[in-house]
Structure formats: C-alpha cells, structure tokens
C-alpha cells in the first residue's frame, strides 16, 4: 500500500505539472479551441477504448508488469510530446499516453483491491486516493514555475516523475504469487455473476456520476462561472479548487474508516446525496465565498466516492479484479468524456442551473442504486487451507 501511494503521488504530481501548459502548447500550433479540447479528450478517449483489454493483460503478465509498462508508455509519450513539431504529433502522442494510463489505472486498482482484506479495503482506497490528491495539489504550482523556464519543461518533468514511479513499481512491488502469504484468499467469481452483483452495479453508476460531475460539470463550468457570473479573476478558480482539494484530502482518512466500519452502502448513499446537493448549489452561489464553501462540501463527498465504490468493487470481484476493475474505470471515463460536452451545450442553450442539475441527477441515480445494495457488505467466501500435507489442522481465511 505504501508503494502504491508513492506511485500515485508521483503520477499525480507529473499530471498536475502538465495541466497549466498543455492547452497553451497545443494552441501554439495555431489551432482553434476545439482542437485544443481534442488533445485533452484524446487522452481520456484512449483510456476508455483500451481499458477492456487491460484485464486480459493482467491475467497474462501480472499487475506489477502491466502497471510499470503502462507508466513507462505515458512517460515516453509525454517526453516526446514536449518536442512535438506539429499538432498532429502532439495529438497522437497524447492518445498513446491514454493507453498507458489505462494500463496503470486498472492494474494499480486491481492490485490494491486484491491485496488487502475486506475489513480495511476502504482505508486502503483512501490512502491510494490521498497520494493522488497530495500530488495533484503540488503539481500545478510546480508546473507554473517550470512554465516560466520553458513551455515544454513540464512535459519533461512529467516524464521524469513517471519514470521514477515506474521504476518504484518494478523494484518494490511484488507479484501476486509472492504476496500470497500477506494477501487474503479470495474466491474467483464468474464475470457474469460479478456483473449481476448489486454492489458492483451501484459502484459503476456512482463512478459514472462522479466522473460526469467532477470533470464535466465542476472542472469545465466552474472556471467559466467564476469569471462570467461572479466577475472574479481566474486566479480565484485555482484558490477554490485548492481549498476543496485540501478538504477532500483531510476527509479521506475518516471516510475510509467509515466505509470499513459502517459499510459501503451508507457511505455511497451519503456521498452521492451530498455531492448532488453540493454540485447543484454551485450554480446558485451568490459570491465567491459561498462557492468555495460549497466546493469544499463537494470535496467531503468526493472523499466518500473515492473510497466506497472502489471497496464495493473489490467485494464483488473477489480474485477476478482485472476485468471488473476495467469496467468500473470505464464508467468514470464515459462521464469524463461526455460530461464536458453535454454540460457545455446545456450551459450555452438553457443556462448553468440546468447543466449543474443534470450532473446532480446522475449522482442521485447512483444514490438510488446504492440504496438497493445489500445492507451488509458481502464478506469474502472463507477458503479452507490445510496447514500440513495430510490435511490435519485447518485454518480459515476470510
């Protein structure tokens, strides 16, 4: 878990460094705003397209190798993107980065969920999420400093942090066979059984709503709302998002404990309900102070939504982590791709309140699905392991 947290931090720092300069660098090739958006969408689109194949790769080569190779793919493509001589090169390289990102995300999440026991799975997901959050907060500040040196410097910094993360994964992570003494003995459930699991279905719907609301509504519309509706400088968007990220980071630990002690179901119901109310309230914030407060409330809900659904997927998937985790990841990617487009269209045609209300409605769909989950989180099926070749004494692993 410590190794995965460190890898998450390195990946998030590098990604955050790239955020302030990627649109500007794409614009330097003389393209329009749609083409700039395509560079961002290409990464997410390739993640979505390639995620279904990651489960098979994990079954063939193991989580550790797929994770490291995926990170190296993003590192090399990012370094080459920094020396792109045309927009087309930049677009292709960012798409290749999305392939590596899918490999990393699915393999890291699979290793996370299958390496810890049921009773600490929420806290483990929270620790992993905290690595991303802390790195994500540090990244944009570093990126701003590097961009003063060169607009392409953040690309090389990103490649370097990813190279470190991939090397850490190769050297410090162990294969699943080497982890057998530490990891829980989990049942292998048929995929069709996993897909029928109400907890798994709810987790995917919640992840869809979270991807749509976080990337499609919050990230796409809040910066415009701050400038055009509240009449504030763009720097206030960064302040608001930083405050929300700090609150979310603080809340991750308590949220993980809540998920493990109270249950996945109440955590998902609470998180989606709170997120729906907060994202809807953003559209009606009368001033920047209220907006920051509402985004901080959303940060608290995001702490629950970053831990409980992942834990529910681990409960439902058992030892079959790769393909179910890929489906779970894809649900968020669908929201991240469609969300900005639909939210932007609705904001232009009928106004901000409707655009935010659609995001809130999707989160409430997740609430309804979470209510249908079993009240008790399913415990892993006990596995009987003989302690000696004759099968004398036995111990039960949960």
């Amino acid at each position: 878990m410590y190794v995965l947290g460190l890898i998450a931090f390195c990946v998030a720092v590098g990604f955050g460094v790239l955020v302030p300069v990627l649109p500007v660098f794409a614009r330097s090739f003389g393209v329009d705003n749609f083409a700039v958006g395509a560079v961002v969408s290409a990464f997410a689109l390739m993640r979505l397209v390639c995620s279904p194949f990651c489960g098979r790769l994990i079954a063939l080569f193991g989580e550790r190798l797929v994770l490291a190779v995926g990170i190296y793919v993003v590192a090399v493509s990012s370094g080459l993107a920094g020396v792109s001589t045309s927009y087309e090169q930049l677009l292709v390289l960012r798409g290749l980065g999305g392939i590596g990102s899918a490999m990393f995300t699915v393999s890291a999440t699979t290793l996370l969920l299958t390496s810890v026991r049921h009773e600490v799975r929420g806290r483990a997901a929270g620790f992993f999420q905290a690595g991303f959050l802390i790195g994500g907060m540090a990244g944009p500040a570093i990126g701003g400093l590097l961009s003063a040196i060169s607009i392409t410097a953040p690309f090389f910094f990103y490649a370097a942090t990813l190279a470190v993360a991939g090397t850490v994964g190769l050297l410090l992570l162990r294969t699943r066979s080497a982890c057998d003494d530490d990891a829980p003995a989990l049942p292998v459930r048929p995929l069709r059984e996993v897909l029928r699991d109400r907890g798994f279905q709810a987790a995917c719907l919640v992840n869809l709503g979270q991807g749509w609301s976080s990337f499609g509504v919050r990230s796409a519309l809040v910066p415009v709302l701050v400038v055009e509706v509240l009449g504030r400088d763009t720097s206030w968007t960064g302040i608001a998002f930083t405050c929300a990220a700090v609150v979310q980071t603080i809340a991750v630990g308590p949220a993980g404990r809540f998920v493990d002690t109270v249950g996945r179901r109440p955590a998902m119901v609470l998180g989606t309900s709170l997120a729906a109310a907060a994202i809807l309230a953003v559209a009606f914030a009368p001033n920047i102070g209220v907006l920051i407060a509402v985004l901080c409330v959303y940060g608290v809900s995001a702490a629950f939504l970053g831990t409980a659904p992942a834990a529910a997927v681990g409960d439902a998937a058992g030892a079959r982590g790769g393909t179910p985790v890929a489906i779970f990841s894809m649900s968020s990617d669908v929201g991240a791709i469609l969300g900005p487009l639909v939210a932007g269209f609705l904001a232009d045609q009928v106004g901000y309140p409707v655009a935010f209300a659609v995001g809130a409605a999707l989160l409430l769909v997740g609430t309804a699905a979470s209510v249908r989950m079993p009240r008790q989180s399913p415990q892993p099926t006990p596995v009987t392991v003989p302690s000696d070749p004759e099968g004398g004494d036995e111990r039960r692993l949960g």
Side-chain angles (χ1 to χ4, degrees):
M1 281 312 307
Y2 289 120
V3 175
L4 286 174
L6 176 60
I7 291 173
F9 173 80
C10 293
V11 170
V13 166
F15 186 80
V17 162
L18 204 61
V19 167
V21 300
L22 180 59
V24 179
F25 183 59
R27 192 82 162 130
S28 69
F29 292 108
V31 298
D32 58 17
N33 287 324
F34 179 83
V36 171
V39 170
V40 178
S41 296
F43 190 87
L45 179 61
M46 292 309 296
R47 272 177 52 94
L48 177 65
V49 171
C50 295
S51 288
F53 304 100
C54 293
R56 181 61 177 166
L57 289 176
I58 291 171
L60 291 174
F61 303 108
E63 298 94 335
R64 180 179 71 116
L65 184 59
V66 174
L67 180 150
V69 171
I71 292 178
Y72 285 138
V73 168
V74 185
V76 172
S77 64
S78 298
L80 293 176
V83 294
S84 298
T85 57
S86 68
Y87 169 79
E88 290 75 19
Q89 289 181 8
L90 178 63
L91 183 66
V92 170
L93 288 167
R94 288 302 291 164
L96 291 175
I99 296 174
S101 177
M103 295 171 64
F104 158 72
T105 301
V106 175
S107 56
T109 307
T110 299
L111 189 59
L112 164 79
L113 297 178
T114 57
S115 296
V116 297
R117 298 187 184 279
H118 172 273
E119 60 269 17
V120 295
R121 199 167 277 148
R123 277 164 282 187
F127 184 82
F128 188 55
Q129 181 188 160
F132 277 110
L133 289 171
I134 296 172
M137 285 186 288
I142 299 173
L145 295 175
L146 289 174
S147 63
I149 301 173
S150 168
I151 195 173
T152 58
F155 287 89
F156 306 125
F157 182 89
Y158 185 26
T161 59
L162 289 170
V164 170
T167 303
V168 166
L170 277 179
L171 296 180
L172 299 184
L173 287 176
R174 291 173 294 171
T175 60
R176 288 290 299 154
S177 60
C179 293
D180 287 344
D181 290 339
D182 298 332
L186 299 176
V188 178
R189 302 183 68 189
L191 181 59
R192 60 181 179 275
E193 185 178 330
V194 175
L195 296 177
R196 289 198 298 265
D197 189 286
R198 289 186 178 183
F200 180 77
Q201 295 172 357
C204 290
L205 286 172
V206 169
N207 216 28
L208 171 66
Q210 171 69 346
W212 184 292
S213 298
S214 181
F215 296 103
V217 177
R218 188 183 63 164
S219 298
L221 294 185
V222 168
V224 182
L225 186 145
V226 167
V227 174
E228 295 186 357
V229 178
L230 300 182
R232 294 284 184 164
D233 186 78
T234 53
S235 62
W236 280 99
T237 301
I239 294 172
F241 282 173
T242 299
C243 291
V246 170
V247 170
Q248 183 177 349
T249 304
I250 295 172
V252 160
R257 287 191 294 272
F258 185 96
V259 170
D260 288 331
T261 56
V262 180
R264 284 54 158 149
R265 178 178 180 270
M268 289 166 63
V269 171
L270 174 62
T272 50
S273 301
L274 194 61
I279 204 68
L280 183 60
V282 166
F284 301 97
N287 54 61
I288 193 66
V290 173
L291 177 66
I292 292 175
V294 171
L295 288 176
C296 287
V297 173
Y298 187 87
V300 173
S301 68
F304 284 92
L305 300 184
T307 52
V313 170
D315 296 340
R320 185 185 290 278
T323 301
V325 168
I327 296 171
F328 175 68
S329 176
M330 289 169 62
S331 62
S332 176
D333 290 336
V334 169
I337 294 171
L338 296 180
L341 301 176
V342 176
F345 175 80
L346 291 174
D348 289 337
Q349 299 299 318
V350 292
Y352 290 106
V354 175
F356 282 91
V358 170
L362 278 176
L363 288 167
L364 291 177
V365 170
T367 305
S370 301
V371 170
R372 296 179 62 248
M373 291 173 61
R375 290 187 176 273
Q376 294 294 327
S377 297
Q379 298 288 335
T381 303
V383 179
T384 301
V385 181
S387 59
D388 60 70
E390 301 300 326
D393 295 331
E394 295 181 344
R395 53 191 175 91
R396 292 171 67 79
L397 303 180

